[in-house]
């Protein structure tokens, strides 16, 4: 037996083991805790009270203006006021954070770690003040100092360390973890540049500018310059006996921790996201420096810091860049070294690791954590190979986020050989044993073995990260019922046959109602609280059902409609200020905001808009007065290398220009593309929607989360039978959603038809053919610009635009009629929708992870 499996050898928990997150208190002979340092009373008196009144708050803000910013009443502006306010609020967060981490260290609960390469946080101040219950006091305090809270909140930059849904999900989950009092930490990367800023050129093209979000400094992060990890790249790996190896040489990069406190709502429980930043290990390469090669010396230092320079802007698309693999390993290695250090501080034998630690892999991005933990256990801790694999496979759980083939990560073996030679050996060894067991279970099924192998053969071998993630995890989940079913029956079917279906689960995504209703929609939130008599619904979203009692009350309906009108006016004001365009806030607001992607089919929406425009053009002035006025809003970023997505943006912008300038459409149709979609823009748009569009080709959208945000805010849903749309309809009632389009089982057959028995669009959908013809007429700019787009529909039509177009128009017609014919019924639908969205709280999702996957308990912080 290895000495590391020997409890006796490791003995009892060490005393006074200091780490950045706490220490073990020393006890005297009677078991009473000893104060660790200096005079206890002096220490305790030094802690600021957390139940501050307005006076304490203004004092704290003024104190920070004067001593942190070195400014005064004479020269303080909104940005400065924001910074001082953030520093004041942060004190409360940190006091709770300390208490929480101290409790974890003392009680040693099992902890969950959420590894996510993206955290799309948005702004923090408003959320922090609400969660601390201090918003009103800060508002009053700022008012006394001559600022409005609104201006101050608006001065904060978004932390956009994510692309879209996956990154926002991670942010919602840490919020829920803290609120539900679960010992949950996030681990991520501290990118110097977050998601690019999107600019729209006069011709409608997307331009990208860097996002230097740290330029004004970030008051929400606590640098932990003493919490570091060495991360090796390159060098060579040597194999010893019994699966062990030695990895040496290459280049070492230093990971430095930055902590970001995550407050729960109405609880002291305050969790953490630890973001790693890369630093060169030794400032300079001294050898090159001494040789007089200054440029080269600095180059080494640049290349190390480069690792955390920038977030990759691809959503649902794998690009295979070497620096991206370096980011992934850097982050996994630093996080595991940190987790291992914390575990060892408990004094438990290593065999206890999976009883104290569970690691959730957010997509395949952190899959390298699996071979890395193997490497630590086998090479460094000298745990026998099979025992180590037992530990690993009881530690990890994996969330799959997509079935799109272009999104599945596969790294060239040659790249591993160069950067991670030891991990490559470990993966080969794991694969060898694994394929033998596949052969035993399915003798002679060589195709199955080829499909399940961790290595894809072909022109240059590639490592299949999803296969590795499944092999190394004890549970695998999809993110909505339909998606989890597709995972089980398509991309991971072989693995279900091999491991049994029990390993494969569903956890439908969720959103935090704190940010996505209370914070972004005060008008509706206040009405709900007033109606239900308390704010308890924010922590038990099913309580929204109580609104159903009032659905037919005309006074309540009026107030409900007034809240929506208020949010539409707020958005109209923003549009006026930013684009200089006046929109009629009485019109129906029809919103589609999400990453621009062919599978999400913004194309279907804009083609439908053109159809609407042509219909209006063909009407008499008299007929036009009967049209339901619409404002159609788009927003979203295209990956900089995704040419077709950028062309779709360009089409939307140019179609908008023509329609918005046409007197025939005036007052009845406005089409706008709002640049630079972000969490903060989402917070403004979502409460203002009457209808929102979630119209992906069936079977392509894993879950979607903005569908949940819109419905929670009383916007109705127009969508395909896909992702979480299905479960939303189950909850709110199919009579309250507008569904259209082909279903998932039909998709494969339709694609087959397109390939082998294509039918001209003219025959399939004359309406669509007319729209395509209109585009090619030059009305929206030269036909040659749009030809490649039109061709994707005429030839192949992989996303089934032509198959779903007529059905989409039909659904839009029903939306128009429902909105115009019976406005009161529409309001009732809106109330019912919000009232029945309880299931989609991320609190429900995170508790499902805690209970069904992590086997972890909540821990109250006093
Ligand atoms: C919620 C959210 C998303 C995800 O939107 P989907 O429509 O589910 O793809 C993307 N970006 C931002 C800023 C979000 O808040």
């Amino acid at each position: 037996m290895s000495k590391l499996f020997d409890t006796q050898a490791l003995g009892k928990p060490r005393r006074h083991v200091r780490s950045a997150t706490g220490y073990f208190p020393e006890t005297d002979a009677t078991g009473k805790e000893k104060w660790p340092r200096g005079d206890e009373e002096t220490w305790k008196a030094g802690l600021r009270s957390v139940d501050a009144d307005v006076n304490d708050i203004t004092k704290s803000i003024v104190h920070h203006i004067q001593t942190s910013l070195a400014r005064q009443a004479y020269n303080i502006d909104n940005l400065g006021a924001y910074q001082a306010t953030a520093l004041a609020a942060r004190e409360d967060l940190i006091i709770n954070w300390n208490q929480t981490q101290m409790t974890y260290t003392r009680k040693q609960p099992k902890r969950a770690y959420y590894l996510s390469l993206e955290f799309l946080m948005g702004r923090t101040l408003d959320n922090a003040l609400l969660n601390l219950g201090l918003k009103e006091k800060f508002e009053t305090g700022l008012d006394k100092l001559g600022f409005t809270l609104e201006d101050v909140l608006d001065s904060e930059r978004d932390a956009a360390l994510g692309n879209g849904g996956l990154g926002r999900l991670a942010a919602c989950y840490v919020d829920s973890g803290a609120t539900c009092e679960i010992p949950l930490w996030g681990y991520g990367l501290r990118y110097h540049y977050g998601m690019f800023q999107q600019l729209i050129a006069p011709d409608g093209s997307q331009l990208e500018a860097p996002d230097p979000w740290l330029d004004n400094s970030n008051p929400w992060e606590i640098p932990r310059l003493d919490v570091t990890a060495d991360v090796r790249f390159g060098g060579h790996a040597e194999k010893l006996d019994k699966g062990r190896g030695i990895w040496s040489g290459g280049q070492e990069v230093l990971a430095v921790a930055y902590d970001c406190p995550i407050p729960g709502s109405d609880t002291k429980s305050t969790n953490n996201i630890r973001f790693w930043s890369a630093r060169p290990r030794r400032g300079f390469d001294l050898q090159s420096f001494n040789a007089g090669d200054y440029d080269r010396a600095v180059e080494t230092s640049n290349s190390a810091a480069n690792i955390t320079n920038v977030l990759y802007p691809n959503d649902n698309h794998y690009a295979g860049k070497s620096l991206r693999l370096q980011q992934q390993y850097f982050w996994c290695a630093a996080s595991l070294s940190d987790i291992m250090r914390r575990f060892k501080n408990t004094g438990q034998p290593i065999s206890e690791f999976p009883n104290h630690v569970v690691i959730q892999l957010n997509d395949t991005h952190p899959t390298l954590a699996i071979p890395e933990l193997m490497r630590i256990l086998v090479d460094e801790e000298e745990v026998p190979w099979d025992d180590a694999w037992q530990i690993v496979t009881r530690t990890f759980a994996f969330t799959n986020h997509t079935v799109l083939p272009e999104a599945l990560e596969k790294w060239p073996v040659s790249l591993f050989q160069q950067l991670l030679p030891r991990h490559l050996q470990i993966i080969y060894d794991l694969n060898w044993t694994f394929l033998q067991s596949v052969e035993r279970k399915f003798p002679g099924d060589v195709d199955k073995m080829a499909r399940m192998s961790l290595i894809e053969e072909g022109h240059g071998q590639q490592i299949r990260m999803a296969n590795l993630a499944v092999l190394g995890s004890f549970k695998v989940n999809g993110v909505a019922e339909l998606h989890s079913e597709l995972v089980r029956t398509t991309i991971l079917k072989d693995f279900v046959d091999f491991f049994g279906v029990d390993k494969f689960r569903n956890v439908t995504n969720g959103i935090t109602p704190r940010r996505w209703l209370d914070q972004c929609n005060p008008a509706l939130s206040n009405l709900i609280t007033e109606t239900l008599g308390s704010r308890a619904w924010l922590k038990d979203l099913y309580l929204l059902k109580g609104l159903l009692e009032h659905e037919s009350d005309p006074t309540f309906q009026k107030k409900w409609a007034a809240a929506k009108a208020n949010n539409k006016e707020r958005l109209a004001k923003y549009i006026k200020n930013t684009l200089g365009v006046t929109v009629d806030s009485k019109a129906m607001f029809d919103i589609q905001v999400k990453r621009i992607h062919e599978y999400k089919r913004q194309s279907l929406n804009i083609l439908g808009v053109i159809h609407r425009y042509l219909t209006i053009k063909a009407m008499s002035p008299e007929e036009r007065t009967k049209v339901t006025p619409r404002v159609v809003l788009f927003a979203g970023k295209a990956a900089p290398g995704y040419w077709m997505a950028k062309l779709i943006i360009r089409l939307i912008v140019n179609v908008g220009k023509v329609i918005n300038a046409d007197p025939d459409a005036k007052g009845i149709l406005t089409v706008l593309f709002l640049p630079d979609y972000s969490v903060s823009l989402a917070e403004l748009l979502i409460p203002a929607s009457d209808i929102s569009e979630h119209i992906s080709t069936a079977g392509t959208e894993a879950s979607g989360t903005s569908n949940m945000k819109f419905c929670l805010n009383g916007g109705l849903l127009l969508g395909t039978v896909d992702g979480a749309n299905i479960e939303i309809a189950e909850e709110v009632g199919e009579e309250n959603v507008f569904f259209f389009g082909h279903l998932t089982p039909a998709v494969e057959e339709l694609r087959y038809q397109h390939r082998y028995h294509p039918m001209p669009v003219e025959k399939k959908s004359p309406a669509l053919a007319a729209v395509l013809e209109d585009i090619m007429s030059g009305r929206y700019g030269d036909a040659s610009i749009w030809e490649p787009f039109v061709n994707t529909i005429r030839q192949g039509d992989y996303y089934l635009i032509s198959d779903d177009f007529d059905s989409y128009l039909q659904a839009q017609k029903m939306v128009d009629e429902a909105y115009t014919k019976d406005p009161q019924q529409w309001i009732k639908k809106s109330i019912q929708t919000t009232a029945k969205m309880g299931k989609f709280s991320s609190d429900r999702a995170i508790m499902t992870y805690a209970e069904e996957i992590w086997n972890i308990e909540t821990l109250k912080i006093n």
Side-chain angles (χ1 to χ4, degrees):
M1 186 195 271
S2 150
K3 68 176 191 291
L4 287 136
F5 274 79
D6 185 354
T7 320
Q8 291 304 307
L10 275 159
K12 307 237 160 50
R14 282 177 251 162
R15 298 295 169 190
H16 269 304
V17 179
R18 282 172 198 286
S19 78
T21 54
Y23 66 91
F24 291 94
E26 206 171 348
T27 47
D28 64 19
T30 67
K32 192 172 163 290
E33 264 180 35
K34 280 201 238 166
W35 186 255
R37 183 188 291 273
D39 176 47
E40 183 170 353
E41 292 314 310
T42 310
W43 274 97
K44 291 196 165 159
L47 195 67
R48 190 166 73 71
S49 157
V50 283
D51 358 88
D53 61 17
V54 173
N55 227 8
D56 299 327
I57 287 167
T58 43
K59 255 186 171 165
S60 178
I61 297 173
V62 170
H63 176 79
H64 281 295
I65 289 176
Q66 298 193 329
T67 67
S68 302
L69 308 179
R71 294 171 82 172
Q72 312 174 56
Y74 299 102
N75 61 1
I76 189 80
D77 55 3
N78 279 329
L79 176 61
Y82 155 70
Q83 286 169 322
T85 306
L87 289 170
R90 164 187 139 133
E91 290 175 357
D92 295 87
L93 295 187
I94 292 179
I95 289 166
N96 290 342
W97 189 97
N98 274 333
Q99 193 59 33
T100 307
Q101 305 317 318
M102 170 91 96
T103 307
Y104 291 168
T105 306
R106 287 187 174 173
K107 300 237 163 112
Q108 296 185 16
K110 184 176 183 184
R111 289 159 172 258
Y113 297 101
Y114 198 79
L115 265 60
S116 182
L117 206 42
E118 303 186 10
F119 286 90
L120 189 48
M121 306 298 289
R123 290 173 176 161
T124 295
L125 180 57
D126 201 2
N127 181 250
L129 295 180
L130 283 166
N131 280 358
L132 289 163
L134 292 175
K135 186 166 175 179
E136 279 172 22
K137 289 178 183 169
F138 268 79
E139 185 160 24
T140 313
L142 281 167
D143 187 61
K144 284 190 175 185
L145 297 173
F147 290 97
T148 69
L149 179 61
E150 199 188 340
D151 287 344
V152 167
L153 294 177
D154 239 6
S155 302
E156 181 173 359
R157 259 173 186 273
D158 273 38
L161 306 185
N163 274 281
L166 174 145
R168 184 54 232 176
L169 185 75
C172 284
Y173 279 178
V174 289
D175 176 281
S176 283
T179 298
C180 297
E181 305 179 317
I182 293 171
L184 169 68
W185 271 32
Y187 275 103
L189 285 184
R190 182 179 180 268
Y191 303 107
H192 264 103
Y193 295 91
M195 190 59 198
F196 66 83
Q197 186 194 349
Q198 179 192 53
L199 305 162
I200 302 297
D203 74 349
S205 311
Q206 168 180 291
L207 302 175
E208 300 95 21
D211 164 42
W213 70 293
L214 290 168
D215 275 7
N216 299 332
S217 91
N218 174 12
W220 305 111
E221 66 181 12
I222 307 159
R224 299 286 189 190
L225 304 182
D226 56 331
V227 179
T228 62
D230 286 314
V231 181
R232 184 186 306 280
F233 288 99
H236 40 265
E238 231 179 285
K239 277 185 133 183
L240 307 173
D241 59 338
K242 299 179 183 161
R244 286 186 308 142
I246 297 179
W247 183 22
S248 58
Q251 187 199 9
E252 280 191 354
V253 180
L254 191 68
V256 181
Y258 288 75
D259 286 347
C260 175
I262 305 296
S265 168
D266 193 27
T267 162
K268 281 189 183 168
S269 161
T270 301
N271 280 330
N272 193 32
I273 307 179
R274 183 156 280 179
F275 291 105
W276 297 107
S277 186
R279 293 243 188 107
R281 186 70 191 89
R282 279 177 284 276
F284 289 102
D285 171 353
L286 279 179
Q287 224 164 0
S288 309
F289 191 62
N290 291 337
D293 192 353
Y294 186 85
D295 282 356
R296 221 190 104 85
V298 178
E299 202 176 87
T300 318
S301 110
N302 277 342
S303 75
N306 260 348
I307 292 178
T308 49
N309 202 34
V310 63
L311 167 76
Y312 276 92
N314 297 316
D315 185 66
N316 273 305
H317 186 83
Y318 160 74
K321 292 280 193 293
S322 159
L323 187 59
R324 167 80 167 191
L325 184 65
Q326 291 176 55
Q327 289 186 337
Q328 293 184 349
Y329 180 63
F330 172 79
W331 157 61
C332 289
S335 305
L336 272 182
S337 124
D338 201 46
I339 291 167
M340 185 57 84
R341 180 182 50 70
R342 190 170 305 112
F343 169 74
K344 284 187 162 183
N345 279 348
T346 67
Q348 298 283 331
I350 200 97
S351 56
E352 280 296 304
F353 189 82
N355 296 328
H356 287 256
V357 173
V358 58
I359 301 176
Q360 189 69 37
L361 306 173
N362 195 24
D363 212 329
T364 54
H365 314 149
T367 303
L368 280 168
I370 290 169
E372 173 65 4
L373 183 56
M374 258 328 252
R375 189 192 66 78
I376 294 172
L377 293 173
V378 174
D379 296 0
E380 293 181 1
E381 304 294 336
E382 300 183 13
V383 178
W385 180 275
D386 292 340
D387 296 342
W389 187 240
Q390 281 291 318
I391 292 174
V392 169
T393 51
R394 289 176 58 211
T395 298
F396 292 101
F398 163 54
T399 305
N400 170 282
H401 281 271
T402 180
V403 294
L404 301 182
E406 67 270 27
L408 296 180
E409 289 190 289
K410 293 171 191 175
W411 292 102
V413 162
S414 56
L415 195 56
F416 264 64
Q417 187 62 261
Q418 194 191 323
L419 290 173
L420 303 167
R422 178 62 188 133
H423 297 79
L424 183 59
Q425 289 176 348
I426 290 170
I427 290 167
Y428 275 136
D429 287 353
L430 290 174
N431 200 34
W432 170 252
T433 321
F434 172 53
L435 290 181
Q436 280 182 324
S437 56
V438 174
E439 162 77 45
R440 273 197 301 276
K441 186 145 189 169
F442 304 101
D445 194 341
V446 288
D447 288 347
K448 202 177 200 72
M449 280 173 59
R451 289 194 302 268
M452 292 179 78
S453 174
L454 303 182
I455 311 291
E456 183 167 293
E457 306 291 337
H459 305 295
Q461 296 178 315
Q462 299 202 298
I463 302 172
R464 295 164 166 157
M465 302 309 266
N467 292 19
L468 180 55
V470 174
L471 182 64
S473 298
F474 64 90
K475 283 284 183 299
V476 176
N477 75 283
V479 291
E481 291 289 352
L482 172 67
H483 168 66
S484 296
E485 181 62 19
L486 289 173
V487 166
R488 284 191 293 260
T489 54
T490 63
I491 59 170
L492 296 182
K493 183 179 183 306
D494 293 317
F495 289 87
V496 173
D497 294 346
F498 181 79
F499 287 109
V501 75
D502 266 9
K503 174 166 170 167
F504 299 83
R505 300 289 176 98
N506 172 251
V507 183
T508 299
N509 284 167
I511 54 169
T512 168
R514 272 76 60 182
R515 181 176 295 263
W516 295 115
L517 207 176
D518 189 42
Q519 181 187 321
C520 71
N521 194 347
L524 195 63
S525 175
N526 290 339
L527 175 58
I528 291 170
T529 300
E530 175 195 312
T531 309
L532 298 179
S534 93
R535 282 167 64 81
W537 59 273
L538 276 171
K539 293 178 79 162
D540 179 1
L541 203 59
Y542 285 107
L543 291 176
L544 289 177
K545 278 203 299 282
L547 297 171
L548 293 173
E549 273 178 47
H550 309 271
E551 63 175 24
S552 303
D553 169 6
T555 318
F556 180 67
Q557 289 177 347
K558 216 177 230 169
K559 288 182 181 173
W560 191 270
K564 182 63 78 185
N566 171 78
N567 296 328
K568 288 166 74 173
E569 279 155 27
R570 182 176 70 162
L571 176 59
K573 205 178 281 174
Y574 170 87
I575 292 172
K576 181 76 196 166
N577 288 340
T578 53
L579 298 181
V581 177
T582 307
V583 297
D584 174 12
S585 64
K586 301 261 178 337
M588 184 201 303
F589 279 19
D590 169 352
I591 306 184
Q592 187 180 20
V593 288
K594 48 185 80 241
R595 287 302 293 256
I596 311 294
H597 208 296
E598 285 168 286
Y599 88 80
K600 290 179 183 277
R601 299 201 296 191
Q602 282 89 359
S603 47
L604 183 56
N605 187 346
I606 195 63
L607 294 167
V609 165
I610 296 171
H611 177 269
R612 179 177 292 269
Y613 176 55
L614 296 179
T615 311
I616 291 169
K617 292 290 280 178
M619 287 175 176
S620 68
E622 162 64 20
E623 284 173 311
R624 282 180 197 144
T625 62
K626 292 183 197 121
V627 172
T628 311
R630 270 219 205 201
V631 175
V632 184
L633 300 173
F634 293 85
K637 293 172 183 177
Y642 191 169
W643 190 81
M644 190 54 69
K646 289 172 120 175
L647 187 59
I648 292 168
I649 292 177
R650 199 170 167 192
L651 180 63
I652 294 167
V653 173
N654 283 284
V655 168
K657 269 191 208 163
V658 170
I659 294 177
N660 302 341
D662 188 337
D664 290 348
K666 197 170 169 59
I668 46 179
L669 183 57
T670 309
V671 182
L672 291 169
F673 187 92
L674 307 186
D676 205 29
Y677 188 50
S678 65
V679 170
S680 289
L681 187 51
E683 289 170 13
L684 194 61
L685 282 159
I686 288 166
S689 95
D690 293 303
I691 190 99
S692 71
E693 305 205 17
H694 308 274
I695 55 178
S696 49
T697 310
T700 62
E701 186 74 275
S703 163
T705 47
S706 83
N707 43 5
M708 301 170 189
K709 298 169 195 166
F710 281 100
C711 291
L712 184 60
N713 285 275
L716 302 192
L717 186 151
L718 166 58
T720 43
V721 185
D722 199 18
N725 290 356
I726 299 168
E727 289 157 77
I728 291 174
E730 274 169 19
E731 294 294 310
V732 308
E734 215 163 308
E735 69 281 8
N736 288 329
V737 307
F738 300 90
F739 267 149
F740 73 94
H742 286 88
L743 306 186
T744 303
V747 170
E748 222 175 307
E749 170 65 18
L750 287 167
R751 283 181 177 160
Y752 179 88
Q753 297 273 340
H754 286 300
R755 204 167 312 155
Y756 300 105
H757 309 284
M759 189 194 282
V761 174
E762 282 69 15
K763 211 167 151 206
K764 202 180 226 161
S765 167
L768 178 59
V771 168
L772 297 182
E773 202 176 302
D774 186 53
I775 293 174
M776 296 305 281
S777 76
R779 196 203 287 268
Y780 313 103
D782 202 277
S784 63
I785 304 170
W786 315 123
E787 191 173 62
F789 166 73
V790 170
N791 282 345
T792 61
I793 298 167
R794 289 199 181 281
Q795 301 159 19
D797 191 14
Y798 188 74
Y799 295 101
L800 312 186
I801 302 288
S802 58
D803 303 278
D804 284 347
F805 192 70
D806 289 359
S807 160
Y808 176 65
L809 295 184
Q810 198 65 36
Q812 284 284 20
K813 203 168 156 194
M814 287 172 68
V815 171
D816 280 321
E817 281 170 8
Y819 193 79
T820 325
K821 284 200 181 142
D822 195 348
Q824 204 170 346
Q825 184 62 24
W826 184 280
I827 296 167
K828 214 162 155 179
K829 284 174 181 292
S830 169
I831 296 168
Q832 286 177 358
T833 300
T834 300
K836 293 176 174 176
M837 283 298 287
K839 171 176 171 182
F840 301 98
S841 170
S842 46
D843 297 349
R844 181 271 311 153
I846 214 72
M847 287 308 295
T848 307
Y849 279 102
E851 287 166 6
E852 295 179 14
I853 296 181
W854 301 338
N855 187 25
I856 203 174
E857 280 168 11
T858 59
L859 180 56
K860 180 113 199 115
I861 310 298
N862 294 307

